[in-house]
């Protein structure tokens, strides 16, 4: 079984989508290959909030189990120069490497490319001989170091020379394969239609061609009567534009198919040939003549296909909505695994395998991600074979050598999407899933939803597990407490732990929390104005007030929390897993419960207590010190309560 990774910068780009459609078509029915389509972005990329996280997939795929890398290199040229892309590929030199679209003069990197000399010859000849255009400009992609862009520019100059037409450098505009870059260039260079001297312009891709159509129309230039426009790629933009854009069809999907064919051939040849292979050259580029150059558009069926695809967009939106509806009842990983069958129709994913790292890793944009040493199987879902399993514990695999359980993997050839499991800056592991629908842009969106659900279920499952462990410990502590002397560990008035018991079990709780990687909060509580209660209503009511505070604390906190009476009117609480930012809500809750308790027991006053807090974690774990900090934070709260409470 061969394991092949296909690197593409972004799934949500039409060119990339068409290339990987061709690769998918070649490999989808083969029983001896497993192909992982990987959206990588580039290291430290500034696009999006967390798009940079996708590059971490490439670290996992350095694993020895991956045999070959196929990289859609043209999708990276907007972000990286060719030499930089080559540097990014060097860690994979022990594997077979196939580049699509970009030539590398390196024996370690094979490539496929498209020869555009003949098709540019045809287009320039068409403009000259059919439409009488002798003044022709060119919209290049020379603002970026794109080999593909330079090849098109050179092919244009070669065609101009061949047809005896004068090349004017001042008629060359420099873009970056994007509509925005083209618009910016034209707005800077042309302020009126009189500024433009040529009769036709050929653009290095359709997006820049679309920009030309829009901006020239804004300047009042009539297309095609006053200006002929050509693009390159034959994307849906060119078909649906008004007027429809003449362009060049480079049969992108077939390039992907040819690269996949070359990749499998290299793997089957093994180490027999290590020299630079003769590149596969696709010569089936063809010119498409439409209204923007003055020709009739006869591709009505193609238009209908595109409109059908556009209409299906609303079906895709419904799929996302259905996915949210089905999954919003999921809480833990076991629920997620069991409910996955119900989302197959909405998601199109029939198989999903998730591996978890030992601990989540925080990955910031400026970080260089280092692949962790190990991961374990967390979820294995295969709806075709009725498998839906969550693994609470499993053996860890060494990621340098493998990425999956070999026995399971060998039974699953086909095409998968591979990506990290992330939420914000936190990375939890990685997943691969089998997509029956091949709309990779939509798959990317659906996977963001599913990944978010997995992470939330993972965190919830971990919290529940920790809570159960803590409750078990608390139960054991209480059982042990029963066997001990009441006077040594328990406060007689409140039946809470006394100071000795609280300090012992509270410290144990903090240390145990540390063992299971959980932080928490130590609270210091103080009954307000006990002396005034004693002076005005007698010590009997003072004792009732202290007992009442104890009851309120039992109700306000969880069974798993450690609560003790430290002195006359002072109490301590150790709450593992709690967040100190919730203290204001907790104070409001305690105030309400105190008022309710006072009314229920017909007190001639309203109970009130002040609450201070301090957080514990790896660096702050001494209970005495934590109580001191909590007591200090209680001081300001005490002043507020004294000002408002009247006894």
């Amino acid at each position: 079984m061969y394991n092949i990774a296909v690197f593409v910068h972004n799934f949500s780009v039409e060119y990339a989508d068409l290339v990987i459609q061709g690769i998918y078509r070649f490999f989808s029915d083969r029983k001896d290959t497993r192909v992982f389509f990987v959206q990588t972005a580039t290291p430290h990329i500034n696009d999006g909030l967390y798009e940079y996280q996708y590059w971490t997939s490439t670290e996992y795929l350095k694993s020895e189990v991956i045999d070959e890398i196929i990289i859609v290199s043209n999708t990276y040229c907007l972000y990286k120069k060719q030499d930089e892309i080559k540097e990014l590929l060097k860690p994979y030199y022990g594997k077979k490497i196939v580049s699509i679209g970009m030539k590398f003069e390196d024996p370690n990197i094979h490539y496929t490319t498209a020869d555009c000399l003949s098709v540019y010859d045809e287009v320039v000849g068409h403009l000259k001989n059919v439409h009488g255009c002798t003044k022709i400009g060119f919209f290049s992609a020379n603002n970026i170091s794109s080999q593909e862009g330079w090849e098109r520019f050179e092919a244009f100059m070669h065609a101009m020379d061949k047809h005896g037409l004068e090349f004017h450098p001042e008629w060359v505009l420099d873009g970056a394969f994007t509509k925005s870059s083209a618009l910016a260039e034209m707005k800077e260079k042309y302020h009126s239609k009189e500024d433009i001297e040529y009769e036709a312009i050929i653009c290095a891709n359709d997006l820049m061609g679309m920009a030309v159509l829009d901006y020239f129309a804004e300047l009042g230039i009539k297309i095609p009567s006053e200006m002929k426009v050509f693009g390159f790629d034959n994307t849906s933009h060119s078909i649906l534009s008004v007027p429809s854009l003449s362009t060049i069809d480079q049969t992108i999907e077939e390039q992907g198919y040819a690269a996949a064919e070359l990749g499998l051939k290299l793997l089957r040849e093994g180490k027999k040939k290590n020299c630079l292979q003769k590149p596969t050259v696709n010569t089936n580029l063809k010119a498409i003549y439409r209204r923007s150059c003055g020709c009739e558009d006869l591709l009505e069926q193609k238009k209908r296909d595109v409109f059908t695809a556009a209409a299906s967009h609303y079906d895709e939106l419904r799929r996302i909505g259905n996915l949210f509806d089905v999954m919003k009842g999921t809480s833990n990983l076991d629920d997620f695994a069991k409910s996955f069958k119900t989302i197959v129709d909405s998601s199109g994913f029939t198989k999903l395998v998730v591996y978890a790292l030992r601990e989540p890793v925080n990955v910031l944009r400026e970080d260089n991600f280092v692949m962790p040493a190990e991961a374990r199987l967390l979820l294995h879902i295969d709806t075709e074979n009725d498998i839906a399993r969550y693994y609470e514990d499993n053996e860890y695999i060494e990621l340098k050598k493998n990425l999956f359980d070999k026995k399971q993997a060998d039974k699953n050839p086909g095409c998968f999407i591979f990506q990290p499991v992330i939420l914000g800056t936190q990375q939890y592991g990685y997943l691969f899933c089998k997509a029956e629908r091949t709309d990779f842009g939509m798959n990317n969106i659906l996977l963001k939803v599913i990944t978010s659900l997995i992470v939330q279920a993972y965190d919830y499952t971990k919290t529940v597990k920790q809570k159960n462990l803590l409750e078990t410990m608390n139960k054991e502590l209480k059982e042990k407490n029963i066997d001990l002397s009441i006077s040594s560990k328990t406060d007689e008035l409140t039946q809470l732990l006394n100071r000795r018991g609280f300090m012992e079990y509270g410290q144990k709780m903090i240390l145990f929390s540390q063992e299971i990687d959980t932080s928490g909060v130590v609270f210091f509580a103080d009954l307000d104005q006990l002396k005034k209660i004693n002076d005005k209503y007698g010590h009997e009511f003072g004792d009732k007030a202290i007992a009442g505070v104890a009851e309120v604390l039992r109700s306000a906190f969880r069974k798993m929390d450690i609560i003790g009476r430290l002195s006359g009117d002072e109490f301590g609480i150790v709450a593992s897993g709690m967040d100190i930012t919730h203290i204001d809500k907790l104070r409001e809750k305690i105030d309400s419960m105190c008022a309710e308790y006072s009314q229920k027991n017909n007190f001639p006053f309203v109970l009130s207590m002040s609450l201070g807090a301090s957080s514990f974690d790896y660096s702050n774990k001494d209970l005495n010190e934590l109580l001191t900090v909590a007591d200090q934070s209680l001081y300001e709260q005490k002043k507020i309560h004294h000002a408002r409470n009247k006894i």
Side-chain angles (χ1 to χ4, degrees):
M1 181 76 70
Y2 298 116
N3 292 302
I4 302 170
V6 178
F7 290 174
V8 62
H9 191 273
N10 188 335
F11 283 158
S12 303
V13 174
E14 188 171 0
Y15 172 85
D17 185 60
L18 290 170
V19 172
I20 55 183
Q21 290 286 349
I23 299 172
Y24 184 98
R25 181 161 54 87
F26 179 82
F27 283 118
S28 58
D29 296 327
R30 298 186 183 276
K31 304 301 181 186
D32 60 344
T33 56
R34 190 183 300 107
V35 181
F36 300 101
F37 292 94
V38 191
Q39 177 179 242
T40 71
T42 49
H44 321 301
I45 189 172
N46 287 320
D47 286 1
L49 285 175
Y50 305 109
E51 298 300 310
Y52 67 89
Q53 284 261 39
Y54 285 108
W55 180 255
T56 60
S57 290
T58 65
E59 293 296 316
Y60 292 109
L61 294 163
K62 290 175 183 176
S63 173
E64 293 173 12
V65 74
I66 299 298
D67 303 299
E68 182 173 76
I69 302 296
I70 298 176
I71 178 170
V72 189
S73 49
N74 283 341
T75 64
Y76 295 83
C77 63
L78 188 61
Y79 309 92
K80 294 289 180 183
K81 297 178 181 178
Q82 185 175 9
D83 288 344
E84 293 175 318
I85 298 172
K86 185 176 177 179
E87 283 298 313
L88 295 175
L89 289 174
K90 280 187 177 179
Y92 308 98
Y93 273 14
K95 311 176 190 298
K96 300 294 184 184
I97 303 175
V98 177
S99 164
I100 301 178
M102 191 175 286
K103 300 175 184 177
F104 291 89
E105 298 302 324
D106 187 313
N108 296 285
I109 306 175
H110 310 276
Y111 58 86
T112 65
T113 186
D115 182 6
C116 53
L117 279 173
S118 60
V119 75
Y120 269 107
D121 179 21
E122 179 186 342
V123 168
V124 171
H126 176 83
L127 289 171
K128 175 186 176 183
N129 301 323
V130 176
H131 299 295
C133 298
T134 58
K135 300 177 180 179
I136 304 175
F138 189 79
F139 217 132
S140 78
N142 294 345
N143 274 341
I144 56 175
S145 298
S146 165
Q147 185 183 85
E148 183 181 43
W150 280 104
E151 286 175 353
R152 294 176 190 179
F153 181 44
E154 289 169 356
F156 165 74
M157 290 191 292
H158 182 272
M160 292 288 284
D161 181 64
K162 183 175 179 180
H163 288 277
L165 299 178
E166 185 178 357
F167 169 72
H168 291 263
E170 68 275 17
W171 294 351
V172 175
L173 292 87
D174 294 328
F177 279 144
T178 64
K179 192 171 183 179
S180 59
S181 67
L183 282 171
E185 173 77 352
M186 286 187 292
K187 286 180 179 180
E188 182 179 346
K189 201 163 187 176
Y190 305 134
H191 301 99
S192 68
K193 62 186 297 184
E194 288 73 24
D195 295 335
I196 302 167
E197 301 178 42
Y198 46 82
E199 307 159 318
I201 184 168
I202 299 173
C203 305
N205 79 340
D206 286 344
L207 287 175
M208 294 192 294
M210 294 290 294
V212 168
L213 292 180
D214 291 345
Y215 189 66
F216 280 10
E218 187 178 322
L219 293 180
I221 299 172
K222 297 177 182 178
I223 300 172
S225 59
E226 295 178 340
M227 177 70 65
K228 321 295 182 189
V229 183
F230 254 90
F232 195 111
D233 282 337
N234 196 30
T235 61
S236 57
H237 303 88
S238 66
I239 301 166
L240 295 177
S241 65
V242 179
S244 56
L245 181 65
S246 296
T247 186
I248 293 168
D249 186 355
Q250 60 170 320
T251 59
I252 301 170
E253 188 173 328
E254 295 307 314
Q255 288 185 44
Y257 190 96
E261 194 171 32
L262 173 62
L264 185 58
K265 178 183 177 184
L266 292 171
L267 286 174
R268 287 176 173 171
E269 288 177 350
K271 297 182 179 180
K272 294 178 182 178
K273 296 182 179 180
N274 288 321
C275 60
L276 182 65
Q277 300 289 319
K278 183 179 179 181
T280 302
V281 178
N282 303 307
T283 56
N284 54 348
L285 278 68
K286 58 182 179 181
I288 307 294
Y289 303 112
R290 300 196 179 112
R291 289 304 301 153
S292 69
C293 75
C295 296
E296 293 298 324
D297 185 359
L298 302 177
L299 297 181
E300 291 301 325
Q301 182 57 50
K302 182 68 174 177
K303 278 189 176 182
R304 283 193 289 271
D305 291 343
V306 173
F307 278 116
T308 300
S312 71
H313 166 72
Y314 295 99
D315 292 332
E316 301 297 347
L317 293 179
R318 281 190 288 273
R319 281 173 60 195
I320 297 174
N322 291 339
L323 183 60
F324 272 110
D325 289 340
V326 171
M327 297 304 295
K328 64 185 176 184
T330 296
S331 58
N332 57 43
L333 288 169
D334 194 44
D335 288 344
F336 178 89
K338 291 175 180 176
S339 63
F340 194 84
K341 266 190 176 182
T342 61
I343 70 169
V344 170
D345 287 342
S346 294
S347 69
F349 302 122
T350 56
K351 297 180 182 181
L352 175 70
V353 182
V354 182
Y355 278 81
L357 304 175
R358 281 195 178 273
E359 294 294 337
V361 178
N362 191 44
V363 183
L364 301 178
R365 191 185 303 274
E366 62 273 14
D367 290 348
N368 290 318
F369 177 74
V370 178
M371 180 177 65
E374 296 177 315
R376 68 175 179 88
L377 181 62
L378 184 70
L379 287 170
H380 178 209
I381 301 170
D382 184 343
T383 59
E384 294 173 344
N385 295 301
D386 201 28
I387 298 171
R389 291 193 61 185
Y390 154 60
Y391 297 85
E392 185 173 353
D393 292 297
N394 214 330
E395 291 184 5
Y396 282 84
I397 60 172
E398 189 179 349
L399 294 180
K400 185 177 180 181
K401 295 185 178 296
N402 215 331
L403 292 171
F404 33 71
D405 179 84
K406 193 173 187 305
K407 290 182 180 178
Q408 290 178 352
D410 287 346
K411 298 175 183 177
N412 287 285
C415 295
F416 298 82
I417 297 172
F418 184 102
Q419 71 173 49
V421 175
I422 56 175
L423 188 64
T425 62
Q426 290 289 306
Q427 184 160 154
Y428 290 74
Y430 57 90
L431 65 79
F432 45 95
C433 59
K434 191 168 188 179
E436 302 304 324
R437 295 186 177 95
T438 57
D439 180 346
F440 284 87
M442 183 55 65
N443 287 342
N444 177 40
I445 296 172
L446 295 171
L447 275 174
K448 286 188 176 185
V449 176
I450 291 173
T451 300
S452 177
L453 289 166
I454 291 172
V455 170
Q456 291 177 42
Y458 176 88
D459 284 341
Y460 179 81
T461 302
K462 185 177 180 181
T463 300
V464 170
K465 184 178 179 180
Q466 291 173 348
K467 181 177 181 294
N468 291 338
L469 285 171
L470 291 169
E471 286 180 342
T472 300
M473 179 189 174
N474 195 40
K475 183 179 179 182
E476 290 174 356
L477 291 174
K478 288 184 177 180
E479 287 174 352
K480 289 178 183 178
N481 191 51
I482 292 170
D483 296 332
L484 298 171
S485 167
I486 295 294
S487 62
S488 68
K489 298 291 177 73
T490 306
D491 176 64
E492 186 175 357
L493 175 61
T494 63
Q495 295 303 300
L496 296 174
L497 292 169
N498 61 18
R499 185 179 187 89
R500 177 183 172 188
F502 175 77
M503 296 304 292
E504 179 182 340
Y505 294 128
Q507 187 65 66
K508 285 183 178 180
M509 177 64 83
I510 292 171
L511 296 176
F512 181 75
S513 299
Q514 181 181 343
E515 289 179 11
I516 61 173
D517 195 26
T518 300
S519 58
V521 182
V522 170
F523 294 95
F524 195 108
D526 186 353
L527 171 61
D528 293 326
Q529 302 188 9
L530 175 61
K531 185 178 185 303
K532 287 188 177 181
I533 293 173
N534 286 331
D535 292 346
K536 188 171 184 178
Y537 302 106
H539 285 275
E540 181 183 353
F541 267 106
D543 287 346
K544 286 182 178 180
I546 290 170
V549 167
E551 284 302 311
V552 168
L553 291 175
R554 281 194 189 93
S555 300
F557 287 91
R558 305 164 298 181
K559 291 181 180 180
M560 60 185 278
D561 298 328
I562 304 295
I563 308 173
R565 184 185 179 194
L566 304 180
S567 65
D569 60 352
E570 295 177 339
F571 298 82
I573 305 98
V574 176
S576 180
M578 191 171 287
D579 191 332
I580 198 170
T581 59
H582 297 155
I583 191 169
D584 288 339
K585 290 185 178 179
L586 181 61
R587 283 170 175 153
E588 291 175 6
K589 178 181 178 181
I590 288 174
D591 283 347
S592 176
M593 294 174 73
C594 282
E596 185 179 335
Y597 185 90
S598 301
Q599 184 179 9
K600 182 179 178 181
N601 289 275
N602 297 313
F603 284 178
F605 52 85
V606 178
L607 276 179
S608 173
M609 73 176 89
S610 301
L611 197 67
S614 61
S615 296
F616 65 82
D617 53 26
Y618 283 106
S619 58
N620 301 296
K621 54 190 175 184
D622 183 271
L623 182 53
N624 273 310
E625 293 178 2
L626 290 162
L627 283 170
T628 299
V629 174
D631 187 22
Q632 291 170 353
S633 77
L634 175 142
Y635 179 73
E636 292 298 322
Q637 184 71 15
K638 197 80 174 171
K639 288 194 297 185
I640 296 171
H641 276 211
H642 279 186
R644 77 182 188 190
N645 290 332
K646 305 296 181 183
I647 300 297

